[in-house]
Amino acid sequence: MDTRLTAEQDEIRRTLRELLRKRCGPAEVRAAVDTPAGHDPLLWSALAGRLGLPGLALPERYGGTGCSVTELALACEEVGRALAPSPLLATSVLTAPLVLALGTEEQRAGLLPRIAAGTLTAALAVPGPALTTALALTRGNDTYSAGGGRAGGVQARRAEDGWRLYGEAAQVLDGHSAGLLLVPAHTGGFARSRTLLFLVPGDAAGLTRTRQTALDATRPQGRVQLREVGAELLGSADTDVRPALSALGDTVAAVLAAEAVGAADRILERTVEYAGQREQFGRPIGSFQAVKHRLADVYVEVQAARSAAYYAAWAAGRGQRAGALALAQGLQALRRAAGDGIQLHGGIGFTWEHDAHLYFKRAAGDELLFGPVHRLRDRAAETAGLFAGGEVAV
């Protein structure tokens, strides 16, 4: 593995950081999360038009750039630094790869170019509490089912005019605003039950969507309710979607790890800057040894998490699995950097007016959706066979 960035990778990072610095400062972030969609459509158009960000990891034949997971992770690291609210995670990281992997050629040709151009956003309608299981991040997804019994989850049935979906999913990332929903649904009855993926347009009849209050406002979530909604099966009815979800999970974890590193690095920078300006007892608080040691410890943790995230992204492009462990390290680094940042900022750090709490909420919110950290580590150890002769913590 060559740890040096290529000229193209460095250009992606530099250009994206420059654009986000101009278009996505703290004031713009707060304004965007207060909109009904939870993000700035003009910023999304700029990211798509100038940088081709939505299609960064999609093949060129579908309008994408044809880059690897590494480039996508580097881009998400910059997005994480700014805490930029955007449909990038839901559209390009969670949904587009499943369409590419499982969709028919007609479905790929009809959807992926629009996603790559930024004119179509998408969401994977897996309820928040079930997302980490569906992606096999904290446990195997061999028992994952979109149905939650007779009255739970989303059910699918065949009708004369195609498939019909009934049910609901809550805490769906960008579920309230996405132009396309990719909905896992339970079908086949009790004896032959299985989970299939269905495509549902955002304006489908019988579909009701509402935005929900989320711990992390920069990751907007919605409740999706389906009442006999017409849907199109993704791919074939013979496809087992669980291996595709499991493979996607490692890529998602690697990208999220890089995003967490970007956020941790930024809040650390802001804390160091403040420690050099804030004076106590006639000298900057950053000159006190206790503060220096604390910031140094955070720096080491962030750099270690960055190394793990880069390796996980590199490995994901080669079919190796290191995402869960990298995500655990990234989320821990972000929580540590944000927590120490709040404390070292003193009184101002505990106020809503300061941005430190946004970084802490990002760490806590991601743990709720994709963790927690100790289960990510347990799963990584279990997958590596470290406890083959004993028990794995639960």
Side-chain angles (χ1 to χ4, degrees):
M1 175 184 176
D2 188 352
T3 59
R4 295 172 297 180
L5 297 182
T6 65
E8 182 182 30
Q9 291 169 342
D10 193 58
E11 181 65 15
I12 291 172
R13 169 189 264 178
R14 185 193 63 78
T15 305
L16 185 54
R17 183 176 297 190
E18 180 181 341
L19 175 63
L20 291 174
R21 184 184 297 117
K22 293 179 180 178
R23 301 284 298 272
C24 196
E28 288 79 8
V29 169
R30 290 172 182 265
V33 299
D34 288 336
T35 63
H39 67 269
D40 181 2
L42 295 179
L43 175 61
W44 180 243
S45 298
L47 293 174
R50 289 183 54 183
L51 303 177
L53 194 58
L56 193 61
L58 289 176
E60 294 182 12
R61 66 180 181 275
Y62 297 122
T65 309
C67 292
S68 68
V69 179
T70 301
E71 284 74 26
L72 183 59
L74 288 172
C76 285
E77 182 182 355
E78 295 305 316
V79 173
R81 281 180 59 89
L83 293 184
S86 78
L88 181 64
L89 176 61
T91 300
S92 302
V93 182
L94 285 170
T95 308
L98 289 173
V99 176
L100 179 63
L102 302 177
T104 64
E105 183 56 37
E106 182 180 0
Q107 290 169 335
R108 294 172 187 170
L111 297 174
L112 294 180
R114 296 164 61 196
I115 289 176
T119 57
L120 177 66
T121 59
L124 178 62
V126 175
L131 188 57
T132 183
T133 301
L135 298 176
L137 291 177
T138 56
R139 67 187 67 184
N141 69 353
D142 53 321
T143 60
Y144 167 70
S145 173
R150 289 182 179 272
V154 179
Q155 314 293 324
R157 67 174 181 86
R158 285 187 182 273
E160 293 182 359
D161 57 347
W163 288 92
R164 294 281 174 175
L165 305 184
Y166 189 96
E168 71 173 49
Q171 297 176 261
V172 176
L173 288 173
D174 290 325
H176 62 295
S177 62
L180 175 72
L181 294 175
L182 185 56
V183 184
H186 180 267
T187 185
F190 179 78
R192 301 175 59 188
S193 64
R194 59 182 314 194
T195 295
L196 297 175
L197 293 174
F198 296 88
L199 298 167
V200 177
D203 58 355
L207 176 64
T208 302
R209 303 186 292 172
T210 54
R211 184 175 178 181
Q212 294 181 284
T213 301
L215 174 63
D216 178 10
T218 63
R219 285 221 199 279
Q221 301 174 13
R223 180 185 299 275
V224 176
Q225 296 175 306
L226 306 106
R227 299 293 181 265
E228 296 297 327
V229 175
E232 178 186 352
L233 178 66
L234 179 68
S236 168
D238 299 326
T239 302
D240 185 359
V241 304
R242 289 175 299 181
L245 287 169
S246 178
L248 172 65
D250 195 70
T251 299
V252 171
V255 171
L256 283 169
E259 189 185 71
V261 166
D265 190 52
R266 180 57 185 145
I267 187 61
L268 175 61
E269 285 180 358
R270 296 185 64 168
T271 305
V272 170
E273 180 182 0
Y274 181 81
Q277 298 173 349
R278 177 73 168 90
E279 291 191 359
Q280 189 72 26
F281 305 113
R283 54 190 288 196
I285 63 172
S287 65
F288 295 116
Q289 189 176 48
V291 175
K292 289 181 180 179
H293 286 179
R294 198 164 179 178
L295 291 173
D297 288 343
V298 175
Y299 174 80
V300 170
E301 193 163 349
V302 171
Q303 294 305 315
R306 174 176 281 117
S307 296
Y310 286 3
Y311 174 76
W314 175 86
R318 289 156 178 78
Q320 303 174 29
R321 303 179 68 89
L325 198 56
L327 178 56
Q329 198 161 349
L331 292 179
Q332 180 172 297
L334 176 53
R335 181 181 280 269
R336 171 79 180 275
D340 283 10
I342 289 173
Q343 291 193 9
L344 291 175
H345 271 85
I348 188 63
F350 287 84
T351 65
W352 292 118
E353 289 75 14
H354 200 273
D355 297 327
H357 70 94
L358 297 177
Y359 290 89
F360 191 84
K361 288 178 179 177
R362 170 59 63 88
D366 277 3
E367 273 205 70
L368 289 174
L369 284 172
F370 303 101
V373 166
H374 73 276
R375 283 298 300 137
L376 289 166
R377 287 186 170 136
D378 285 345
R379 175 61 179 167
E382 182 182 15
T383 303
L386 294 183
F387 303 114
E391 297 181 354
V392 178
V394 294

